[in-house]
Amino acid sequence: MEKVVAKKKYGQNFLKDSSVLDKIIQSMPHNNNQVVEIGPGLGDLTNKLVKYKDTTAYEVDTDLIANLQSTFATQLEQGRLKLIHTDVLSAWDKNQTLHDGKYDLIANLPYYIATNIILRALEDNNCENIMVMVQKEVAVKFTAQVNQKEYSSLGIIAQLLSHDRGIHFDVPPEAFEPAPKVMSSIFYIKKDMSKSIDKGLKDFLKASFIQPRKKLSKNLSSICNKNTLIDIFKELNINENARPHEVNASLYSQLYTKVKNGRN
Ligand code: SAM
């Protein structure tokens, strides 16, 4: 393989610690789903994934594609690996899903678009499990519980759409080449395939957390009449002084419906 220089613009931090790669494989969900990997990079994780599951991998970097094609010539020929050379976000824009059929997303994500990717995977009706490496701060946000200071719109959306979510383990910078500046974590979301949320709720949550340390009622005053809001808070038993992170996901969902419908 030709020497590859990691490109910052594509968030290339290659995972080189084989014990971490093995731990990822051991944490994979047990089911018959195919795997989708975003950003196979030099193929170290891909190499382990294809041993267990048929895999579709999306890679944007033209320079890496030729290497991957020669490294995985056999698996590509046998149809165990499908390599798609494109920006994964445009693939989602085009097809709404990354795979025709149930799949699990397992990847060491490019950190510069990790949050966006996870939100898209949560919306993708064919994606059943998400198990990805991201910077620790992002993993904590998606897995936070009510009353934790990190509980925000990301944690609420993930909670409303899942059966279960959590952090598997942390990974230090030295496990990568080049080493990122931050700590990383592998986390998972087991989606509840019967659930969906509408775009309006996302905007509502954005407004709810616009100033995270202020009162929720203050943040919502820009989109809802103050007296109506006081009544709705009373009906739902939400303390009028509650801060945004102190209200649970189910209450947010009910609050949104009442505000949208003008109370009822
Ligand atoms: N999987 C490899 C590993 O674990 O060593 C590489 C992970 S590296 C953190 C992120 C990978 O995502 C890189 O290969 C990068 O080129 C790729 N990537 C970045 N942006 C992408 C995009 N928009 N669509 C698809 N792949 C992308």
Side-chain angles (χ1 to χ4, degrees), residues 227-255:
N227 289 333
T228 312
L229 212 49
I230 290 172
D231 289 345
I232 297 176
F233 270 44
K234 265 191 202 137
E235 280 170 38
L236 293 175
N237 249 328
I238 300 173
N239 186 315
E240 61 182 285
N241 295 320
R243 309 280 151 174
H245 69 284
E246 293 169 337
V247 173
N248 71 42
S250 149
L251 278 175
Y252 267 110
S253 181
Q254 294 172 61
L255 187 56

Side-chain angles (χ1 to χ4, degrees), residues 159-175:
Q159 189 168 14
L160 288 172
L161 293 173
S162 69
H163 287 299
D164 190 19
R165 67 210 156 96
I167 293 182
H168 278 312
F169 55 91
D170 294 340
V171 182
E174 312 83 78

Side-chain angles (χ1 to χ4, degrees), residues 10-15 37 39-41 59-60 87-88 108 110 112-113:
Y10 288 142
Q12 291 176 353
N13 299 96
F14 300 113
L15 182 55
E37 184 188 13
E59 177 57 65
V60 72
D87 171 350
V88 73
N108 170 18
Y112 74 107
I113 45 167

Side-chain angles (χ1 to χ4, degrees), residues 28-36 52-55 99 101-106 126-129 190 193:
M28 271 168 69
H30 297 283
N31 58 34
N32 294 323
N33 293 351
Q34 276 219 9
V35 164
V36 168
Y52 293 92
K53 296 278 187 91
D54 285 353
T55 300
H99 175 66
K102 273 197 194 165
Y103 76 87
D104 298 333
L105 174 64
I106 300 180
N126 291 335
C127 177
E128 193 166 29
N129 292 283
K190 183 174 171 35
M193 303 297 269

